[in-house]
């Protein structure tokens, strides 16, 4: 099958978040897709299958399938609109999170995702603060834990204890988002997945399904610019549209090749 590795949420190689994109010619057993994702050893590998005129998209971490992945969706749309059907400026995917659309506007790819407003929850902050090495002001939860801290510098300079962070009950959330109001943009974040086969995700589109409504309410803004402050870093153009959010970014191809299964 054709295979691509795309750096998403950036227009520079070795920045943003790398995702694998597999173009399926036929359905594969879940177990085989899981082995491919493990072999690729990226945060997410996307599997795209076209039936008739419909694209079906799934995402796998090295450990398990997930229900929503932003950077791998952007990467897949980039592949479709540059290598598969370059005449397209919009593509729709059927996924476990419903129908997702991506629109191309020059070199920006705008994704339309469900909004997931996090709700405040009560948790023992002692372990979390030890794991992050900083004070946590508020704890919220949607798919992920959303931890509000003092400022952008605190997010940037986090010294995370991976062992302690992984001991947080994995049933509470998929990942851990640490966020603060931005100084160089509207808001910043970092995203950790200690129980999903990786430590820190470079740029996480799906986390912004929660961050966008969270910060839109606090900043009283619908259009925002966000930065994820990982070592690779990335920029996301965000808009709150009520029950939906849009997340826009750029992408660049690092690798094009073939996966051989026999």
């Amino acid at each position: 099958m054709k295979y691509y590795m795309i750096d998403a949420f950036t227009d520079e190689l070795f920045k943003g978040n790398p995702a694998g994109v597999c173009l399926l010619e036929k359905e594969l057993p879940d177990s085989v897709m899981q082995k491919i994702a493990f072999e690729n050893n990226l945060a997410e590998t996307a599997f795209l299958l076209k039936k008739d005129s419909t694209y079906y998209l799934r995402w796998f971490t090295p450990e398990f399938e997930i229900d929503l992945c932003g950077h791998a969706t952007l990467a897949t749309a980039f592949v479709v609109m540059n290598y598969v059907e370059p005449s397209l400026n919009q593509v729709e995917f059927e996924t476990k999170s419903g129908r997702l659309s991506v629109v191309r506007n020059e070199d920006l790819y705008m994704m339309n995702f469900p909004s997931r407003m996090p709700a405040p929850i009560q948790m023992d902050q002692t372990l979390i603060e030890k794991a992050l090495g900083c004070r946590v002001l508020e704890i919220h939860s949607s798919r992920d834990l959303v931890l509000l801290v003092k400022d952008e510098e605190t997010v940037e300079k986090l010294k995370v204890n991976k062992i302690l962070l992984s001991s947080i009950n994995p049933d509470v959330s998929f990942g851990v988002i640490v966020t603060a109001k931005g100084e160089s943009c509207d808001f910043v974040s970092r995203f950790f997945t200690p129980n999903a086969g990786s430590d820190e995700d470079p740029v996480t589109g799906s986390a912004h399904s929660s961050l966008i409504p969270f910060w839109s309410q606090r900043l009283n803004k619908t259009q925002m610019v966000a930065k994820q402050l990982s070592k690779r870093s990335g920029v996301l153009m965000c808009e709150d549209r009520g029950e939906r959010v849009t997340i826009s970014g750029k992408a660049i191809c690092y690798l094009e090749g073939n996966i051989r299964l026999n």
Side-chain angles (χ1 to χ4, degrees):
M1 72 181 76
K2 290 293 295 183
Y3 174 69
Y4 299 84
M5 189 184 297
I6 306 297
D7 289 341
F9 294 114
T10 182
D11 56 1
E12 296 181 56
L13 287 176
F14 314 119
K15 295 284 189 179
N17 201 352
V21 180
C22 296
L23 302 183
L24 302 181
E25 295 181 359
K26 61 181 180 180
E27 291 188 13
L28 288 179
D30 289 6
S31 60
V32 175
M33 290 191 286
Q34 188 63 72
K35 288 177 181 177
I36 293 171
F38 182 82
E39 188 83 2
N40 290 346
N41 198 31
L42 296 167
E44 270 84 24
T45 297
F47 293 87
L48 185 69
L49 178 65
K50 189 174 185 180
K51 290 183 180 179
D52 298 323
S53 59
T54 302
Y55 283 109
Y56 294 87
L57 178 60
R58 296 172 70 178
W59 311 275
F60 285 77
T61 77
E63 302 295 331
F64 50 76
E65 184 176 10
I66 60 172
D67 68 339
L68 184 64
C69 178
H71 81 280
T73 300
L74 191 156
T76 304
F78 178 88
V79 168
V80 170
M81 287 188 264
N82 286 276
Y83 299 101
V84 181
E85 296 189 67
S87 62
L88 294 181
N89 284 312
Q90 179 172 349
V91 62
E92 292 188 342
F93 303 114
E94 291 292 342
T95 77
K96 289 195 171 184
S97 290
R99 180 170 292 185
L100 304 179
S101 68
V102 183
V103 176
R104 175 169 59 182
N105 182 9
E106 296 183 349
D107 59 351
L108 272 179
Y109 294 81
M110 183 178 71
M111 301 181 292
N112 188 303
F113 273 19
S115 176
R116 293 174 166 175
M117 171 64 90
I121 62 169
Q122 297 296 320
M123 288 183 66
D124 183 359
Q125 291 188 205
T126 304
L127 176 61
I128 295 174
E129 291 183 342
K130 284 184 178 179
L132 297 181
C134 70
R135 185 179 174 214
V136 174
L137 303 179
E138 299 177 23
I139 303 176
H140 299 251
S141 180
S142 53
R143 181 195 70 173
D144 311 301
L145 280 182
V146 179
L147 308 178
L148 179 66
V149 298
K150 180 182 177 183
D151 53 26
E152 181 172 324
E153 183 179 13
T154 301
V155 176
E156 186 174 18
K157 294 184 176 180
L158 286 176
K159 300 294 184 183
V160 175
N161 185 314
K162 300 173 186 177
I163 296 175
L164 286 179
L165 196 66
S166 66
S167 66
I168 296 173
N169 186 352
D171 294 331
V172 173
S173 66
F174 168 70
V176 178
I177 305 168
V178 184
T179 188
K181 184 178 179 181
E183 297 172 10
S184 60
C185 60
D186 289 296
F187 64 89
V188 298
S189 67
R190 289 173 68 182
F191 185 81
F192 302 91
T193 53
N195 297 298
S198 62
D199 297 319
E200 180 173 3
D201 196 43
V203 192
T204 316
S206 60
H208 287 73
S209 283
S210 298
L211 287 169
I212 291 171
F214 180 83
W215 283 108
S216 177
Q217 186 178 84
R218 287 167 181 259
L219 300 176
N220 194 28
K221 297 176 70 174
T222 56
Q223 295 185 335
M224 297 165 287
V225 177
K227 291 183 180 179
Q228 200 154 324
L229 301 180
S230 64
K231 288 183 179 180
R232 292 179 63 107
S233 73
V235 178
L236 307 93
M237 314 302 291
C238 306
E239 184 175 0
D240 188 346
R241 297 186 176 184
E243 294 184 358
R244 308 287 295 181
V245 299
T246 62
I247 306 163
S248 302
K250 299 179 180 181
I252 187 170
C253 182
Y254 167 71
L255 180 151
E256 178 182 359
N258 294 283
I259 291 176
R260 300 185 184 277
L261 298 180
N262 52 37

